[in-house]
Amino acid sequence: MSVPAPHGVWVRNLRVDYGPFTAVPHLDLTIPPGEIYGLIGPNGAGKTSTFRALATLLDPVHGEIFLGGRDARHDPEAARAVLAYMPDLAPLPEDLRAAEYLRFFAESHGLYGPARDQRVAACLEAVDLTGRQHVFCRALSLGMRQRLNLARCLLHRPKVLILDEPASGMDVAARASLKEALRAQAASGTTIILSSHILPEVQDICSSIGLLQNGRLVDSGETREVLLRQSHAKKRLRIRTAGSPENLLSWLYSPDALPAHAPVLRGDTVECQFAGDTEAQARFFTRLAGANLAVVSLEEIHSSIEEVVLRLASAPHEPAAP
Amino acid sequence: MNPPLHKFWLNPFLRRYAVARLRWQPVLIWGMVVQSLAAFGWLAAFHGSRLFGQSSAAEAALRAWVPILFLQGLLLFVKGTFSVAVGVAREHAEGLSDAQRLTPLPPGHKVLGSLLGLPILDSLLAASLLPWTLASVLLGHIPLETVIRIHLLLGTSAVLHHAIGLVSGTVIRQKIAAGTVSQLLVILLHVIIPLFSKFGVGTLGHLGIETTIAGELSNVSQSAYLKKNLDVAFFHLNLSAAGYQWVAMVLLLALLVLVLRRRWIRAEAHLLSKPLALLCMLALLVSSLGELTPDLRSGVSLKPPKFLLRQLENAPVLLQTSQQALFPVTAMVAFGSIGLYMALLLSTCIAPGPLEIARATQSRGFAAPHPDSAADARSSLPACVAMAGMAHGAWLFLIEQVKANPVFQILLSAAPNQPAWILLAILFPLLSWSMLIELRGRKFAVLLMLSLWLAAPMTATVCSLAGVPFDSWPRWLFASSGLALPSIALINSFKLAPTSLHLPWLVSTGFHAGLCIVLGILILARNRRLKTSAIGSSRS
Ligand SMILES: Nc1ncnc2c1ncn2[C@@H]1O[C@H](COP(=O)(O)OP(=O)(O)OP(=O)(O)O)[C@@H](O)[C@H]1O
Ligand SMILES: [Mg+2]
């Protein structure tokens, strides 16, 4: 066994089953402390399953999990002391007020008296709910419920924060304040792992992301690099010509144009797919310039994060290994 | 970091429920309702018994305590248990208990906090009736000892009821169903189990406290309108009814707390660990034997159930047997069966399903899984063998007691004395049940039991009542049930047994033994398949 990372999230060979169904066949994950990591993938990819296993709430079939340097499989109690988990559609007790709810959890973490009240006030402040502390939880709106749950997660200053779709139900202002709160947490050394279907948000908040498909991590790394890699896998070029686009189109159909293929006419520009590396791209440009087609610009189109996820979702559904 | 357990007022769960459930509106409304009911009950009983019963003031005050106790019982046992079951089921259904599971608060604190906190309104309402109790105690000159004993019983029983509500809410996780089941359990505890306790498992009869409290009251009453409490004979000891009952309740409470603690640590944990199940079996057998043997040895206070007498009066063999001897027979037959039923119930709690076994096999060789889950996934068969052995040992002990009493000698003269029979009759049904669970899961096993083990003897009974001679095919159908095997084995050992059951019993025992062998082979094959596939997938 290799020496695990002392902090952050460290997962090896994780497998999660529901009865005969394997939701996550094999997952390795390393997230350094202070990182905000976004796990994205289509519905049913296994994000919630992974999170629940990380949060020691679901017994995986096998796998090693270290959270903040604590072994979550062998010593779940130690791991629970440093982690906070916010489930998707996190529940709230109907019979408590917002501040009472936070006080209950603060006391469960061993905070009493003025220390408790200060911490509760600080966490309410962090999620912008100070004015609502005397409102019954059942009377909060969806976004406020999410924020109150986030405040509960922050109470004990966790080293690892696991957030399942924290931004769902939040309005623009709330998402901005969520982003603020998460950045502040990460700056203090907390590792944050979150999932979200609001992709621009992910792109904006997360310093690194992982793409999950059928319970397997397809790609993982710094957000920009992952997006770049994913768009290189299926790069597209946009060519604008001052001459006739039809001529350009017919040249692109010729064997000269390879490895560019599948050109389409879009107004006065032509878009095509390109399946080659950077050198092939340079050679292609030289040939294009020599073909006398009055090309005025050649532009690379990056896939947006939406397109990447769409591709993941529409990829053939490979059955998980038994 | 968390305050110690005994500082229960700092318990976050207790405080959270106190905040949520003691808001002034419900407290005010419920307080007024309960106080007016109590005032009516106490005053009506007091003046009523002075007017109609011509009682002295002291006697009237004693009687006026009864409606107060009744109201407290209603609040604690019915309303309290219901609110505990519903409350905890709601927290599970909403997923709130997951968030609570992640806090560093030790599981014991969580159990204690929910146990005291969920019914806090009901407990306080019951406590708010104490001034009425005080009036009864002062006016009725009731000895302090009695007052303390009654409140100890009431309090312990209330906590026991709430623990039952907590377990049903934890297991069922569905608000309405949990509430209903908790109420059914209360009825079971106070009405049905005491009925069954007449058939040889006396301990269970002590779980409802009404008769003991009534007995305590009669002990200090001048007019004996209720029968006084008798001591409980336990092996060679004579124990006070209240004390004996208190110990029984505390033991059951401790068991329930252990169950709840396991569930707090791991949501999918088995209710009982295997050693705990064995301990339960032992406790039940010892306590039942303890209450049976004094009766058997003395042979004095024996009274067979009336309906049985009526049934058997026509049997010609019986005419030669003393009626008194019937009691040990029913007790022993019931005892043999209850050993099996108890073992079946316990093995259902500890037997791992096929998915658990598959998962445990697949995780072998990797970093060790949670030790509790590994223990849960281990086969329950050794524990089953041990439980069958215990039941058998208890039965042998019982036989010795019967033999020691000359009154019963006549019964046993014909007994074949083949103690191995009863062991087989418990072992094979029990093993096949557990193996079925390990092979196909609990639902499948329950379904099979309903269709075969219950439907077969029921059909046989109905058919023979409808006129089909029992000695023709119904006896085969009857004996085919695994549940009936121990009783038949025992009946076979006595003189009053119809001989026609010998052969069906042998065949049925053989069938269950065969079933065990087949299931055993299937389990072994399945385990080997799991192991090879686990090795294959860990290489890939
Ligand atoms: N309790 C369960 N029992 C059986 N299968 C389940 C259970 N929970 C999830 N699954 C299955 O496991 C797979 C992964 O589910 P999971 O909830 O982890 O996906 P997800 O990535 O969180 O999806 P979403 O984006 O919709 O939240 C799905 O195919 C789902 O059907
Ligand atoms: Mg999900």
Side-chain angles (χ1 to χ4, degrees), chain B residues 48 68 113 159 188 274 300 339 408 433 438 453 502:
Chain B
I68 300 298
V159 180
L188 193 76
K274 282 162 185 112
V300 184
F408 307 130
W433 171 255
E438 294 192 8
W453 283 3
H502 275 295

Side-chain angles (χ1 to χ4, degrees), chain A residues 13 15 17 19-20 52 55-57 59-64 73-74 76-77 80 83 85 91-97 100-101 104-105 107-110 112 116 136 152 322, chain B residues 1-3 10-13 15-17 19-21 23 90-91 94-96 98-105 264-266 268 355 359 362-363 366-370 373 537:
Chain A
N13 196 11
R15 168 166 164 182
D17 280 10
R52 286 183 60 80
T56 70
L57 290 172
D59 256 356
V61 176
H62 51 65
E64 293 167 74
R73 295 302 307 288
H74 291 133
E77 286 309 319
R80 286 173 179 185
L83 78 85
Y85 168 59
L92 288 173
E94 303 294 303
D95 54 358
L96 288 179
R97 297 171 204 272
E100 290 167 352
Y101 170 68
F104 166 42
F105 274 91
E107 288 177 359
S108 298
H109 283 285
Y112 285 87
R116 175 199 68 183
F136 271 101
R152 190 255 302 161
Chain B
M1 188 153 104
N2 292 109
L10 287 179
N11 188 306
F13 275 66
R15 290 159 74 101
R16 165 244 190 282
Y17 288 121
V19 165
R21 305 207 159 193
R23 302 203 192 272
R90 192 171 73 187
E91 304 231 315
E94 287 174 352
L96 250 176
D98 270 352
Q100 288 162 353
R101 195 168 273 124
L102 291 180
T103 66
L105 199 65
W264 259 118
I265 295 173
R266 248 167 32 88
E268 61 262 52
L355 294 177
R359 163 191 282 249
Q362 270 151 354
S363 55
F366 293 95
H370 198 281
S373 72
S537 72

Side-chain angles (χ1 to χ4, degrees), chain A residues 18 21 23 42-49 165 197:
Chain A
Y18 294 102
F21 176 75
N43 288 142
K47 303 180 293 291
T48 302
S49 310
E165 302 186 24
H197 290 295

Side-chain angles (χ1 to χ4, degrees), chain B residues 66 69-70 73-74 77-78 150 153-154 157 161 186-192 194 204-218 226-227 229 245 249:
Chain B
V66 175
L69 283 172
F70 182 75
L74 223 54
F77 300 162
V78 181
I150 287 180
L153 281 178
L154 196 67
S157 182
H161 278 78
V186 171
I187 295 174
L188 193 76
L189 209 63
H190 288 268
V191 183
I192 297 172
L204 297 178
H206 294 287
L207 293 177
I209 58 167
E210 296 89 344
T211 42
T212 325
I213 287 190
E216 287 289 328
L217 286 180
S218 326
L226 281 165
K227 71 169 187 231
N229 261 354
Q245 180 167 48
M249 288 196 299

